[in-house]
Amino acid sequence: MVPDQASTGALDDAVDPADGVVDAGWAPVTKARTYELVLDRVEAQITSGRLRAGDRLPAERDLAAALGVSRVAVREAMRVLQAMGVITQSTGSGRDAGTVLTAAPGEALTRLVRMHVLLASVGTADVVRARIALERESARLAATHARDADHALLAEHLAVMDDPECSPETFNDRDTEFHVAIAHASGNRLVAEMTTALRNAMRATLLERLQGEDDFRAVAARLAREHHEIHDALVAGEGARAADLVEAHIEGFYARR
Amino acid sequence: MVPDQASTGALDDAVDPADGVVDAGWAPVTKARTYELVLDRVEAQITSGRLRAGDRLPAERDLAAALGVSRVAVREAMRVLQAMGVITQSTGSGRDAGTVLTAAPGEALTRLVRMHVLLASVGTADVVRARIALERESARLAATHARDADHALLAEHLAVMDDPECSPETFNDRDTEFHVAIAHASGNRLVAEMTTALRNAMRATLLERLQGEDDFRAVAARLAREHHEIHDALVAGEGARAADLVEAHIEGFYARR
DNA sequence: GACCTCACTGTGGTAGGACCACAGCAAGTT
DNA sequence: AACTTGCTGTGGTCCTACCACAGTGAGGTC
């Protein structure tokens, strides 16, 4: 069986780990879709070091020909890679046109988390605990790794949020950016990206809650004050205190109802 | 700098923050790719509640016709959703065949993290810190949420790792499953999935390190002992201690060189 | 009547071809 | 020298056709 495309160089690979062997030694034959084979090849090129961030992939048509698959298969693989934030694509000719390997996990993570929050696959309470775990670490690291530029950026966001005229939308956006800025100041890329994704995924939810507040200004003032305290702890280089403040800050807002 | 929208509706909700307005009021026209429009429609259906986990999407051909796009566009959107772990697809006819909404972020997260580790987008040191942050939380929660079945599963993994005949491969797999089991026992789905993804993404790296140990048995014995201590803390319901032990456990192994 | 066989139908999977829009580049024109 | 124009390579989109698979039910066989 498995005629599986003429003309494919479609090789095996397929290292299915630990699958319940139902009948003595009869593995169920891997029926990998073609685009997955393409994905494997690309990953192999990266693993072997022949392909690294910044490099340009062959044109879709060329890659299809080289792998012996149709362009559709290549395109679907590219779609997946794009969804993971591994490549960026653009039209046109020239050196930088086409498909380029660029590691940008941020957006991809955000979309992933947001979709699963929407699907109720994960509850908001879970997201809150995860945020706390990550942002504690962000704050702790940021206290020692943040530079003057980072502090200045944070101060800028604080100033906007201090403005009594500030709308819930603006406040929410700046709040997001404030937390994200701390995450990036931590120097830990992964923690930063995950923190960003979580905060961004909650953006709509938090905005709704802010807009639904009876006394938005009072809440905003309280949150802004807590932000200032966190900022002060960061500037003072007190990581542990910053972490505790962040935890109280996040938990405090959610616990309000 | 490419704007590179993600997920803007067909219409212009594009709120590009701080982009140099070149000519008075001339927004550069959002040129969303068609498959992104399909994605938006699907997300809208989910947001509105008309579509939820477990539901079946229309057949690709029907969906294409309904949205007025080609089947290719629909397929590419499906590929993205699949890569995010939002849908599963299967051939055949019948009620459960076709495309079904199923929230399974695990694999998707794992692949995403693994790819970015491979691309050196995030360093292993960063992954370790992220793991610690998350697994501390996992352990803390598991100490109060874990049930007898969870404890039994953990004990089973421990028994295998205690076996002096245990190979590095087996040990590594069981170690992974041990940490993953704790994460799932925490009751926090998001933390569990992220923990799993991180541990899985490091699987190959850790295996290499284990195999490269001068005295594998001694290292395995030490790790196994630490596992037992963690397990004991969990059974005793001492979350804080379990968290500290986990941190020391993870940090200790990485710090060895 | 109970059971098996087999064609039918609806589903995703794949391929190949065609055309479009876009961006860079080079040759030609002013 | 500066501008214009057409060429070329890239992803973006669509269409059409066919394949593989799994459930369903009609028909035949015992």
Side-chain angles (χ1 to χ4, degrees):
Chain A
M1 68 180 286
V2 182
D4 196 15
Q5 280 74 265
S7 83
T8 49
L11 297 188
D12 33 313
D13 341 66
V15 193
D16 264 22
D19 220 338
V21 180
V22 270
D23 298 317
W26 286 99
V29 174
T30 59
K31 40 189 170 180
R33 272 138 295 195
T34 323
Y35 83 91
E36 288 180 338
L37 299 178
V38 177
L39 279 177
D40 289 344
R41 295 308 175 94
V42 173
E43 188 170 340
Q45 292 284 319
I46 296 173
T47 306
S48 73
R50 279 190 291 272
L51 219 49
R52 63 184 59 189
D55 286 355
R56 192 162 164 273
L57 267 70
E60 291 181 354
R61 293 167 177 82
D62 297 343
L63 192 51
L67 295 178
V69 300
S70 77
R71 197 183 155 200
V72 176
V74 173
R75 279 185 66 77
E76 296 196 346
M78 294 302 115
R79 231 15 25 99
V80 173
L81 291 174
Q82 198 180 41
M84 292 196 296
V86 168
I87 63 170
T88 54
Q89 291 181 303
S90 61
T91 63
S93 68
R95 297 187 318 283
D96 294 338
T99 307
V100 179
L101 269 178
T102 54
E107 269 190 48
L109 260 179
T110 301
R111 264 188 307 181
L112 200 157
V113 173
R114 189 175 33 139
M115 287 299 283
H116 282 95
V117 169
L118 282 177
L119 276 171
S121 165
V122 300
T124 50
D126 287 2
V127 179
V128 172
R129 288 311 311 174
R131 271 192 70 191
I132 290 174
L134 288 169
E135 296 206 25
R136 277 190 64 95
E137 182 72 5
S138 288
R140 203 179 61 77
L141 293 172
T144 54
H145 288 71
R147 303 178 177 189
D148 291 344
D150 296 319
H151 293 147
L153 180 59
L154 290 175
E156 188 184 319
H157 293 319
L158 289 177
V160 174
M161 287 187 277
D162 283 340
D163 182 358
E165 300 297 317
C166 180
S167 70
E169 290 81 6
T170 305
F171 189 92
N172 189 43
D173 286 347
R174 289 298 181 142
D175 180 274
T176 299
E177 290 179 43
F178 179 78
H179 286 268
V180 168
I182 292 176
H184 281 99
S186 73
N188 186 320
R189 178 91 187 268
L190 181 59
V191 170
E193 296 291 2
M194 294 201 298
T195 300
T196 306
L198 263 45
R199 180 58 181 83
N200 275 330
M202 297 298 292
R203 196 171 199 155
T205 307
L206 291 178
L207 179 56
E208 275 179 31
R209 183 169 294 198
L210 272 181
Q211 289 172 327
E213 287 290 344
D214 293 334
D215 188 355
F216 166 67
R217 287 261 39 103
V219 174
R222 185 170 63 81
L223 293 176
R225 179 162 40 76
E226 293 173 355
H227 285 164
H228 276 286
E229 290 173 4
I230 294 169
H231 186 220
D232 292 343
L234 290 180
V235 173
E238 300 172 11
R241 188 162 70 93
D244 291 341
L245 287 172
V246 165
E247 172 156 9
H249 171 62
I250 298 176
E251 183 121 272
F253 183 60
Y254 284 95
R256 297 192 78 249
R257 62 168 168 189
Chain B
M1 179 106 200
V2 182
D4 191 22
Q5 322 299 39
S7 79
T8 56
L11 301 190
D12 46 282
D13 32 40
V15 195
D16 266 66
D19 216 340
V21 180
V22 273
D23 298 316
W26 286 99
V29 173
T30 59
K31 37 189 172 180
R33 274 136 292 193
T34 23
Y35 83 91
E36 288 182 337
L37 300 179
V38 177
L39 279 177
D40 289 343
R41 296 307 175 94
V42 175
E43 189 171 339
Q45 292 285 318
I46 296 173
T47 306
S48 73
R50 279 189 289 271
L51 218 50
R52 62 183 60 187
D55 287 356
R56 192 162 164 270
L57 267 67
E60 291 180 353
R61 293 168 177 82
D62 297 343
L63 192 51
L67 295 178
V69 299
S70 78
R71 196 182 155 201
V72 176
V74 172
R75 279 186 65 78
E76 296 197 349
M78 295 302 115
R79 242 355 42 93
V80 173
L81 291 174
Q82 198 179 41
M84 292 196 297
V86 168
I87 62 170
T88 55
Q89 291 182 301
S90 61
T91 63
S93 68
R95 298 186 317 285
D96 293 338
T99 307
V100 178
L101 268 178
T102 55
E107 267 190 49
L109 260 179
T110 300
R111 263 188 307 178
L112 200 158
V113 173
R114 193 186 48 205
M115 287 298 282
H116 282 96
V117 169
L118 251 47
L119 276 171
S121 164
V122 300
T124 50
D126 286 3
V127 179
V128 172
R129 288 310 313 172
R131 270 192 70 191
I132 291 174
L134 288 169
E135 296 206 26
R136 276 190 65 95
E137 182 72 5
S138 289
R140 202 179 62 75
L141 292 172
T144 53
H145 287 73
R147 303 178 178 189
D148 291 344
D150 297 319
H151 292 148
L153 180 59
L154 290 175
E156 187 184 319
H157 294 319
L158 289 177
V160 174
M161 286 187 278
D162 284 339
D163 182 358
E165 302 296 319
C166 178
S167 69
E169 290 80 6
T170 306
F171 189 92
N172 189 44
D173 287 348
R174 289 298 181 141
D175 180 274
T176 299
E177 290 178 43
F178 179 79
H179 286 268
V180 168
I182 293 176
H184 280 100
S186 73
N188 185 321
R189 177 93 187 266
L190 181 58
V191 170
E193 297 292 3
M194 294 201 298
T195 299
T196 306
L198 261 46
R199 180 59 180 83
N200 276 329
M202 296 299 290
R203 196 171 200 156
T205 307
L206 291 177
L207 178 57
E208 276 179 31
R209 183 171 295 198
L210 272 180
Q211 289 172 328
E213 286 290 343
D214 294 332
D215 187 355
F216 166 66
R217 286 262 38 102
V219 174
R222 185 170 63 81
L223 293 177
R225 179 163 39 78
E226 292 173 355
H227 285 164
H228 276 285
E229 290 174 3
I230 294 170
H231 186 221
D232 292 343
L234 289 180
V235 173
E238 300 173 11
R241 188 162 70 91
D244 291 341
L245 287 171
V246 165
E247 171 155 9
H249 171 62
I250 298 176
E251 183 121 272
F253 183 59
Y254 284 96
R256 298 192 77 249
R257 63 170 168 187

